[in-house]
Amino acid sequence: MSDVFIDRTKRAIQDRAGNRCSNPDCRVLTSGPNAHPEKSTKTGVAAHITAASPGGARFDPSLTAEQRRSAENGIWLCQNCAHFIDTDYLNYPVKRLYGWKIQAEFEAECEVKRLPKKETSFNNSYFHDNQEEGWICPFCGTVVGLGKFVCLGCQAEVVPGLTKNERIELAKTGMIAGFASSAIFLYIVPSWILSYFKLSIPVSGNKLIISIIFTSAIISFFCARGVVYLSEKSRMQSPPRFFRNSVR
């Protein structure tokens, strides 16, 4: 079911924005005269900041139906800008749209009250106490809360770090690097030193081989763990990735 705005709510959103598009790069007037003397031409739209229903742009499952259809969740835009924020929703996240809304209403208040802008401060009450912080799913536009691993809009998997396959491949790379390093430092370099200086160390062949293999295994293990850890740490500094199929 879609939580659409009722006419009274649409009117409130329009009036609070001063009947202008809330996009600061647009700010076009959204109504004017029509050729018919008793009609007017309207180009404004009361758009949802978070979608009215699942699957819509920036849908936030943490909001109630009442919050979703309230004026607080609406922004007044011209038809062009309203189209852009829903079709290119990754460039228009929730916080950006709330910023537009606050700025537009701030300017409208200044004009109505004839106040200099510096005398009016932003009212941050527009940000819901229950508004969930998170990421926008690139497949359906749903807001996925921080710490959640599944998009409720399209069931896409959210991976904040490395995938299982990436960990496996990085672990293999680390083990190979560790084995190569141990071979160089435990066998090749000592053999060259003994040969160069014509030294002889009486060590049982089997014991030497076992020692080298055991030490190489330990070095390879820690190299693999180190490569995975550093790669995971680096990946966690970037936004999470969304996958249609399970990658864990």
Side-chain angles (χ1 to χ4, degrees), residues 9 50 61 79 103 118 122 127 132 147 157 209-210 227:
T9 302
T50 63
Q79 292 180 1
Q103 180 66 32
K118 64 180 181 180
F122 292 149
F127 294 93
E132 193 166 20
E157 186 172 7
I209 293 174
I210 292 173
V227 169

Side-chain angles (χ1 to χ4, degrees), residues 128-156:
H128 292 289
D129 292 335
N130 296 324
Q131 176 66 45
E132 193 166 20
E133 295 288 336
W135 309 98
I136 297 178
C137 175
F139 299 116
C140 68
T142 299
V143 177
V144 179
L146 300 178
K148 296 183 179 179
F149 303 102
V150 177
C151 171
L152 298 180
C154 64
Q155 300 303 309

Side-chain angles (χ1 to χ4, degrees), residues 16-45:
R16 289 180 64 86
N19 194 31
R20 290 184 178 274
C21 178
S22 297
N23 182 347
D25 295 325
C26 180
R27 303 298 288 138
V28 67
L29 194 64
T30 56
S31 66
N34 187 280
H36 193 290
E38 296 183 4
K39 293 183 179 181
S40 62
T41 299
K42 298 180 180 180
T43 59
V45 177

Side-chain angles (χ1 to χ4, degrees), residues 229-245:
Y229 171 77
L230 292 176
S231 299
E232 184 86 44
K233 185 177 180 180
S234 176
R235 190 68 192 81
M236 289 294 289
Q237 295 177 358
S238 302
R241 291 169 293 170
F242 290 72
F243 296 91
R244 287 287 194 179
N245 299 319

Side-chain angles (χ1 to χ4, degrees), residues 9 22-23 27 79 87-88 132 165 189 197 207 219:
T9 302
S22 297
N23 182 347
R27 303 298 288 138
Q79 292 180 1
T87 56
D88 192 17
E132 193 166 20
N165 289 336
V189 172
F197 293 101
K207 289 183 178 180
I219 293 175

Side-chain angles (χ1 to χ4, degrees), residues 175-198:
M175 290 185 70
I176 293 173
F179 181 78
S181 299
S182 61
I184 292 172
F185 291 104
L186 296 178
Y187 181 73
I188 297 177
V189 172
S191 297
W192 178 83
I193 292 174
L194 292 176
S195 174
Y196 183 82
F197 293 101
K198 297 180 180 180

Side-chain angles (χ1 to χ4, degrees), residues 43-65:
T43 59
V45 177
H48 281 76
I49 293 177
T50 63
S53 59
R58 298 169 301 277
F59 178 74
D60 188 346
S62 70
L63 299 183
T64 64

